[in-house]
Amino acid sequence: MQDVLAALGIKASNAGASTGTQWIAGGGKEISSFSPVDGKEIAKVTLANEEAYERVIKKAQEAFAEWRMYPSPKRGDIVRQVGEALRKYKEPLGKLVSYEMGKSLQEGYGEVQEMIDICDFAVGLSRQLHGLTMHSERPGHRMYEQWHPLGIVGIISAFNFPVAVWSWNTMLAWVCGDVCIWKPSEKTPLCAIACQNIISEVFQANNVPEGVCGLVIGEAAIGEKIANDPRIPLVSATGSTRMGKAVGAAVGARLGRSLLELGGNNAIIISKDADLDIAIVGCVFGAVGTAGQRCTTTRRLIIHESIYDAFRDKLVAAYKQLRIGDPLDQNNHVGPLIDKGAVEQYQKAIEKCKAEGGRFLVEGGVLDGAGYESGCYVKPAVAEAQPHFEIVQHETFAPILYLMKYNTLEEAIAIQNGVPQGLSSSIMTLNLREAESFLSSAGSDCGIANVNIGTSGAEIGGAFGGEKETGGGRESGSDAWRVYMRRQTNTINYSTQLPLAQGIKFDL
Ligand code: UN1
C-alpha cells in the first residue's frame, strides 16, 4: 500500500484543509485513518478547526467572483482534464478506496469509473445548460430564462462512497459555475486527500482560481457549520436519515437549498414469472456487495408464495458460496464493515430480528482468526421476517437480508412501499403486465424502480435519489444540474411603448 499512498501524495501526517492547490494545517485534533481490511493505521490527518474553515470559505467566495465568469464550456474543459487525470490514477485511487473503506477492489475501481463517467457527462452538459424562451403577451417584448451559478456548494459525503458521490456533485456544480467545499466522512479522509491532490495537478496547469475546490476534513461540528452558514446557498448531504433531518432543518431554517441523499430500505419483488437465475445474482450482489453498505443495498426480498421455497433454497445455496475476506484479494466476494461500531449495529439488528420472531436461514456472526484481525468482518445473514417488524422498517447498514412472502402483486407493492424510506426498488418478472404495473403511478413509490436488475449499481446518466425519508434530492444525471443553479426570468422591451402586463392601464 506504500506505493499507492506515495502515488496519491498521501503522507504519514496530513493537513485536513485545502483551498484547492494549497494545504492548510487543519489546526484541530489529529485523527488516524485505520483500514477495516487489516485494522492497521494508514496515516494521520489534522482536522480542520474554525479558523481553517473560515479561510476555505473566504477563498471560495473570492474564487466564485472569477469562476462564475468563465464560459461554461471552458469550465467543462477543465472537468474533462480532471476526467483524464482520474483515468491516469484509477488504479491507485481504486486501491485506496478499497483499502480505506473496505469495499472489493472491483468496486473500488468501479467507484473511480463512476467519477470518470460523471466528468464525461459534465463536459457535455457544459454546453447544454439550457433555459426556455417564452412568448410575451406584450408587443415588442421578449421573454426568456437563463440559469446562473449559485455560489458555494457544501458537500457532505459518507464513508461508503468516499469519492464517487463527491464527484457527482462537484463536477456538475463546477460546470454550472459554482465553487465547492467538501466535508468528507472522517472515516475515509485519505480518499478525499487523494482526490484533492489529483485535482490540484489539473487546477495548477490551468491556473484555476484558488478556492474553487475547498476541502475541510472535520467531525460533525464542521457539518453543522456548513448547514448553518448563509454563505453556502446549497448543501448536498449524503448519509443517515438522522443526519439528513438535522441538515435539512438547519438549511431550511435559513431558507437555503438542500439536496439530501439519505437511507434506503430497498426491496426486490420476485414474481412467479421471474427468471430465477438472473434474480439470484441480482439479489445476492444487491444484498452482500459493499458488505451491505450501499444506500441502494437490497435489504428485503418479497417473494411469490408459489416459488418461495425453491427460491429460498437457491438463495441459501448461493450464500454458502460466498467468500469473505480481504477485499483487495479478488477471490473474495465480501469485505469488512467500516468499523467496530458498524459491527455492533449489525449484531444488534440480528438480535432484534430474532426477538421480534425472525428466523435465520443463514446465520450471521463476527469472524475472527487469521485474516480477520480487524474485527470488522461479518457473515452476510438471511432471515425470514414479517414486513411490519420494526427492524425490517429500519435501515441497518450491514449485509442482513429479510425474506417475506406475497400472494398478489398489489400486496407485494404495498409491502415494498410500506417502509419510511423510498430510494431503490425492483421487480424480477418476465410478465409485461406485472412490470408495467410496478412502474405505474400505483406502483413503486421509490426514486429508482428497476425491472430484472437489482436495486444497486445505478448508472450515472439517470437522476439518483429517493423519496420519503430518503430525502427527495436528485443528483448525478438527467437534469439534476438544475439544483446547482438559480433560474432567472428575463423580460426585454424593444418597443417604443411601455404596455403593462395583464392589460393594466397606468397613464401619467
Ligand atoms: C450510495 O450508496 O450512497 O447505485 C450511492 C449504486 C451506486 C451509488 C450508491 N451507483 O449503488
Side-chain angles (χ1 to χ4, degrees), residues 256-272:
R257 235 185 248 185
S258 55
L259 193 177
L260 302 174
E261 295 291 356
L262 313 175
N265 192 347
N266 318 296
I268 302 181
I269 298 174
I270 319 284
S271 148
K272 62 180 186 316

Side-chain angles (χ1 to χ4, degrees), residues 114 160-161 165 168 238 293-296 455-459 464:
E114 283 198 50
N160 67 330
F161 273 79
V165 172
W168 299 348
T238 305
Q293 299 170 107
R294 290 193 190 211
C295 51
T296 51
T455 57
S456 68
E459 300 178 20
F464 183 89

Side-chain angles (χ1 to χ4, degrees), residues 21-70:
T21 66
Q22 286 157 24
W23 288 98
I24 301 171
K29 78 171 189 207
E30 191 173 58
I31 59 158
S32 295
S33 175
F34 293 98
S35 168
V37 174
D38 53 17
K40 292 191 180 135
E41 181 185 285
I42 317 172
K44 290 185 169 41
V45 180
T46 311
L47 297 181
N49 63 8
E50 202 158 318
E51 201 189 314
Y53 174 82
E54 278 303 317
R55 280 178 64 185
V56 175
I57 287 272
K58 289 260 154 55
K59 269 285 165 214
Q61 283 182 309
E62 284 167 30
F64 179 57
E66 275 185 68
W67 186 240
R68 65 184 170 188
M69 294 309 289
Y70 273 51

Side-chain angles (χ1 to χ4, degrees), residues 87-162:
R87 283 174 171 89
K88 193 169 106 192
Y89 286 103
K90 181 171 174 179
E91 197 173 325
L93 187 57
K95 278 189 182 149
L96 178 64
V97 167
S98 175
Y99 188 58
E100 191 180 31
M101 184 276 160
K103 63 176 65 179
S104 76
L105 187 57
Q106 278 301 312
E107 292 180 61
Y109 291 149
E111 194 171 338
V112 183
Q113 188 57 46
E114 283 198 50
M115 303 175 81
I116 294 168
D117 295 342
I118 198 72
C119 286
D120 289 354
F121 181 91
V123 176
L125 184 66
S126 70
R127 291 181 188 268
Q128 298 176 81
L129 303 169
H130 298 146
L132 297 173
T133 61
M134 303 89 188
H135 286 264
S136 170
E137 66 191 43
R138 288 170 276 185
H141 282 58
R142 185 167 77 81
M143 275 176 84
Y144 78 120
E145 68 182 15
Q146 49 178 343
W147 293 83
H148 290 307
L150 282 177
I152 304 176
V153 177
I155 300 160
I156 300 172
S157 65
F159 74 85
N160 67 330
F161 273 79

Side-chain angles (χ1 to χ4, degrees), residues 199-463:
I199 299 290
S200 162
E201 254 180 54
V202 177
F203 276 24
Q204 252 162 7
N206 288 277
N207 288 317
V208 173
E210 193 66 18
V212 170
C213 183
L215 176 69
V216 280
I217 303 175
E219 291 174 317
I222 289 283
E224 277 166 33
K225 271 189 135 342
I226 291 175
N228 286 294
D229 196 331
R231 295 169 293 184
I232 304 183
L234 170 65
V235 179
S236 171
T238 305
S240 67
T241 294
R242 197 170 52 84
M243 177 282 294
K245 282 185 177 167
V247 170
V251 178
R254 61 176 173 90
L255 300 183
R257 235 185 248 185
S258 55
L259 193 177
L260 302 174
E261 295 291 356
L262 313 175
N265 192 347
N266 318 296
I268 302 181
I269 298 174
I270 319 284
S271 148
K272 62 180 186 316
D273 294 327
D275 176 331
L276 294 189
D277 293 331
I278 287 183
I280 280 288
V281 181
C283 293
V284 178
F285 176 74
V288 311
T290 331
Q293 299 170 107
R294 290 193 190 211
C295 51
T296 51
T297 290
T298 307
R299 310 216 174 271
R300 299 176 295 144
L301 295 186
I302 306 163
I303 308 167
H304 193 267
E305 58 188 17
S306 67
I307 53 151
Y308 183 86
D309 290 358
F311 192 77
R312 177 197 58 198
D313 294 349
K314 239 172 142 53
L315 188 75
V316 170
Y319 265 67
K320 291 217 169 98
Q321 315 282 314
L322 292 175
R323 286 184 296 273
I324 308 160
D326 181 348
L328 288 146
D329 175 347
Q330 301 210 49
N331 290 312
N332 292 324
H333 300 103
V334 186
L337 292 178
I338 184 68
D339 56 19
K340 290 196 177 140
V343 172
E344 236 170 75
Q345 293 303 317
Y346 157 89
Q347 286 171 307
K348 275 195 191 144
I350 290 178
E351 287 317 311
K352 193 149 201 293
C353 182
K354 285 185 177 162
E356 288 190 86
R359 195 170 77 87
F360 276 80
L361 303 171
V362 179
E363 286 287 347
V366 182
L367 294 160
D368 54 20
Y372 302 129
E373 290 84 355
S374 71
C376 298
Y377 292 85
V378 302
K379 292 189 211 161
V382 179
E384 292 183 311
Q386 295 298 322
H388 64 265
F389 284 3
E390 209 201 302
I391 196 67
V392 173
Q393 294 281 318
H394 178 86
E395 177 191 49
T396 304
F397 229 46
I400 307 172
L401 183 63
Y402 304 114
L403 309 191
M404 40 214 112
K405 275 185 204 171
Y406 78 92
N407 179 11
T408 66
L409 183 63
E410 290 65 33
E411 195 189 328
I413 292 172
I415 295 172
Q416 123 81 33
N417 290 345
V419 292
Q421 311 81 359
L423 179 55
S424 187
S425 60
S426 76
I427 187 166
M428 297 286 180
T429 183
L430 301 176
N431 179 321
L432 182 73
R433 283 190 185 146
E434 281 191 339
E436 291 292 333
S437 302
F438 175 74
L439 300 176
S440 77
S441 36
S444 165
D445 64 1
C446 292
I448 297 170
N450 298 329
V451 177
N452 292 332
I453 65 165
T455 57
S456 68
E459 300 178 20
I460 59 96

